[in-house]
Amino acid sequence: MYRWHNHELQVFLVHPGGPFWAKKDMGAWSVAKGEYVEGEIPLEAAKREFQEETGFVAQGTFLELGAVQQSGGKVVSAWAFEGDCDPAAMVSNRCQVEWPPRSGRMIEIPEVDRGGWFSIAEGQEHILKSQAPFLDRLCQMLQCLESS
C-alpha cells in the first residue's frame, strides 16, 4: 500500500512477528507477502495475504512491481495500490513456529507484529535488502521526486 502524505510518497511496510525478529529493525521490514496455492492467481493471493497479515482490504488499481529473489531463494512478486490505514488498527493472522529452533517446541505468534508508514528513503533503510527494488520500481512508476 502506498499513499501521498504532505506531497511525499510513503509506503506501508510490516515487521515480522516472533522471537527471531523481535529485536531486529533496520533491514527486517517487508511488504505483506505469503505463499499461494497451485492454480491461484498471484495478484489474488497477494490481496488475500495483505488482508491476512494486516486486517486491511487491498483494493483499487494495482501496479505490478515484478519479482525479486530473497537471500533464502524465495521468489516474491509484488503489487502496489494506493490506500491509507492506521497502523495501530492492524490485526495479523497467527501461525505456529518452532522456537527455539530444532527444539520441537511450537509456539503461536502473529505473522506480523506491527506495520508502519515510511518515506521511500526510510523504507529503503528498513526493508529487507532483497525487497528494496520494489520501492525503486514504485517510485519510478509514480515519478516521485524523492531520491532513494
Side-chain angles (χ1 to χ4, degrees):
M1 182 184 311
Y2 70 89
R3 71 180 182 185
W4 294 95
H5 183 74
N6 295 329
H7 306 288
E8 176 182 55
L9 179 62
Q10 294 184 331
V11 292
F12 186 75
L13 300 177
V14 295
H15 185 272
F20 178 81
W21 296 101
K23 295 182 180 174
K24 294 174 173 52
D25 188 46
M26 298 303 211
W29 293 68
S30 174
V31 297
K33 64 181 182 349
E35 307 277 331
Y36 58 92
V37 296
E38 189 171 332
E40 188 175 19
I41 297 167
L43 174 57
E44 294 306 312
K47 291 193 245 183
R48 175 182 48 75
E49 286 290 337
F50 184 86
Q51 186 166 0
E52 287 176 3
E53 291 190 0
T54 67
F56 305 125
V57 175
Q59 59 189 2
T61 301
F62 292 86
L63 305 174
E64 187 172 357
L65 301 177
V68 298
Q69 185 169 3
Q70 296 188 162
S71 59
K74 182 178 187 178
V75 175
V76 177
S77 300
W79 288 261
F81 66 98
E82 188 169 7
D84 201 358
C85 67
D86 176 1
M90 190 183 90
V91 177
S92 176
N93 60 331
R94 300 183 72 77
C95 62
Q96 296 275 326
V97 297
E98 184 178 24
W99 193 261
R102 297 176 295 285
S103 67
R105 182 174 164 255
M106 301 300 286
I107 63 170
E108 186 176 85
I109 63 166
E111 199 162 345
V112 299
D113 59 15
R114 62 189 179 276
W117 287 104
F118 298 90
S119 69
I120 294 297
E122 292 169 332
Q124 290 285 8
E125 293 176 356
H126 285 80
I127 199 167
L128 292 166
K129 293 303 170 209
S130 58
Q131 292 183 17
F134 291 144
L135 303 185
D136 294 333
R137 293 171 192 166
L138 177 63
C139 196
Q140 187 174 32
M141 286 179 178
L142 298 177
Q143 300 176 342
C144 67
L145 302 175
E146 181 179 354
S147 62
S148 48

